[in-house]
Amino acid sequence: MDLRAPTMIESPLRFRVVTYNIHKSQGFDRKIRPERIIDVIRRLDADIVCLQEVVDAPSGGTRLNQAGEIARAFAEYYVCFGSNRPLYGGGYGNMTLSRLGLNAWKNHDVTHKRREERGVLQTDINVGQNCIVHVFNVHLGTGFMERRAQAARLLSTQVLGQNLRGPRLVVGDFNEWTSGITTKLLRGSFKTFKPEYGLKFPRTFPGMLPVLSLDYYYYDAPLELEGAKLSRSRMALLASDHLPLVADFRVGQGRPQR
C-alpha cells in the first residue's frame, strides 16, 4: 500500500465524518431495506462515511447487494469495501465512502483465534492541500479476551503504529460498553469524546432506546473536533440497531504529534 507523506499544513481544513453500524440493513422492524440506510446517510451530508456490518452479495438481489446499492446511490464518492468473511455467496465487512481524494486503502485482519472474523479498513484520504488523514474503520469483537487481543493488534506497527506522517482518525463499533483494555489503550494514545445529544445521554445502542455506548471516535493532533452529535431522525431510529454518530473536524496548523 502506498502511504504518501503530506507536507506541512498551511491553513485549516474542515470535513464531516459519520460512523454507522448498519446491522446488515436490518431495521427494528426486522425488515432488510438498504434504501433506508441510504436515506439516513444522504441526510447527514458527510465527506467521509464509515459503515460496519455491510453485506456485499451481488447474487442476492437488492436486499443483500448492500455494498453495491450504497455505492450506486453515492456515485460521487470513492468507495472501499473490506471483506472480513464470506456471507450469502458474497462478502461481509466494513465499507468506507469518501468524496475527498483517496490515495490508498488496505483491510487489516484483527481476527482472534476461532472467533468471528473481524477487520479494520484503512483509507488514506487527502482532505486538501496535501493533507492526508489516515482513517481506520473499526469493528471489534464482542468477547472480553477477544478485544484484549484485538487491542494489541490494533496498536501494533502493522496497523495504528505504522510510520504514518498524517493524523490518524480511528472510528467505528468497538463493542466495548465498559472502560476495557481497548478503551484505555486508545485513550492513552488519542484524543476522544463521548457521543452526546439532548440531555447529554452518551449512548448509541440500541438505536430506539439506547443504553450502551459502543461507537467512538479517536483522533490525533492536529485534528480538532468542532462538534459531534447522534442522528436521531425517525428513519435513523428505524433503519438499524445503531445510531449514526456524526463528527465535524478541522485540521489545525503543524504536523501530527505521536
Side-chain angles (χ1 to χ4, degrees):
M1 180 175 61
D2 179 20
L3 299 176
R4 305 177 189 176
T7 59
M8 181 75 77
I9 299 164
E10 297 177 355
S11 62
L13 306 169
R14 289 175 169 83
F15 57 95
R16 169 169 288 184
V17 185
V18 169
T19 180
Y20 189 19
N21 183 325
I22 69 170
H23 190 49
K24 306 183 186 73
S25 296
Q26 179 174 303
F28 259 80
D29 56 3
R30 304 191 65 80
K31 295 179 180 179
I32 299 174
R33 296 182 58 184
E35 64 270 20
R36 297 191 298 204
I37 298 296
I38 290 168
D39 181 72
V40 172
I41 297 170
R42 181 172 286 118
R43 292 174 184 272
L44 298 175
D45 191 29
D47 300 298
I48 301 169
V49 181
C50 296
L51 306 176
Q52 303 86 42
E53 293 197 23
V54 183
V55 179
D56 180 27
S59 62
T62 57
R63 292 172 68 252
L64 299 180
N65 186 23
Q66 297 166 16
E69 290 298 305
I70 293 169
R72 276 190 289 275
F74 297 96
E76 71 275 22
Y77 285 67
Y78 296 97
V79 177
C80 300
F81 181 79
S83 181
N84 298 323
R85 65 180 175 94
L87 187 66
Y88 301 129
Y92 171 72
N94 302 339
M95 183 175 181
T96 300
L97 300 90
S98 170
R99 62 183 173 194
L100 305 175
L102 179 66
N103 280 32
W105 68 276
K106 180 179 181 179
N107 198 43
H108 301 277
D109 184 7
V110 294
T111 305
H112 178 59
K113 296 183 177 180
R114 296 186 179 181
R115 302 283 296 187
E116 179 183 337
E117 293 93 331
R118 302 280 182 171
V120 175
L121 178 59
Q122 175 184 348
T123 47
D124 301 331
I125 296 173
N126 191 336
V127 300
Q129 299 179 14
N130 292 320
C131 173
I132 295 177
V133 175
H134 305 281
V135 180
F136 295 84
N137 183 355
V138 177
H139 190 197
L140 300 186
T142 57
F144 175 76
M145 295 305 295
E146 177 185 15
R147 287 196 305 277
R148 287 183 67 95
Q150 289 172 338
R153 171 68 176 169
L154 187 60
L155 288 162
S156 72
T157 55
Q158 284 72 47
V159 190
L160 294 179
Q162 299 173 67
N163 185 22
L164 303 174
R165 297 290 298 278
R168 299 165 295 177
L169 178 58
V170 190
V171 307
D173 179 1
F174 291 82
N175 266 318
E176 193 148 79
W177 50 92
T178 60
S179 185
I181 186 66
T182 306
T183 301
K184 292 175 182 176
L185 289 173
L186 287 170
R187 285 180 178 173
S189 301
F190 295 88
K191 297 179 180 180
T192 189
F193 66 92
K194 287 187 176 182
E196 298 179 353
Y197 70 86
L199 299 176
K200 298 185 177 181
F201 185 44
R203 309 287 192 266
T204 59
F205 174 87
M208 195 68 76
L209 182 63
V211 295
L212 299 174
S213 292
L214 302 180
D215 307 275
Y216 293 95
Y217 283 74
Y218 298 95
Y219 56 97
D220 272 328
L223 291 183
E224 299 172 2
L225 179 70
E226 292 198 319
K229 65 179 181 179
L230 287 171
S231 174
R232 289 185 56 81
S233 67
R234 181 177 298 179
M235 186 63 75
L237 290 171
L238 178 63
S240 174
D241 63 348
H242 282 244
L243 293 173
L245 182 55
V246 185
D248 292 304
F249 289 95
R250 71 187 291 272
V251 184
Q253 299 288 335
R255 294 184 182 275
Q257 297 179 357
R258 295 288 184 256

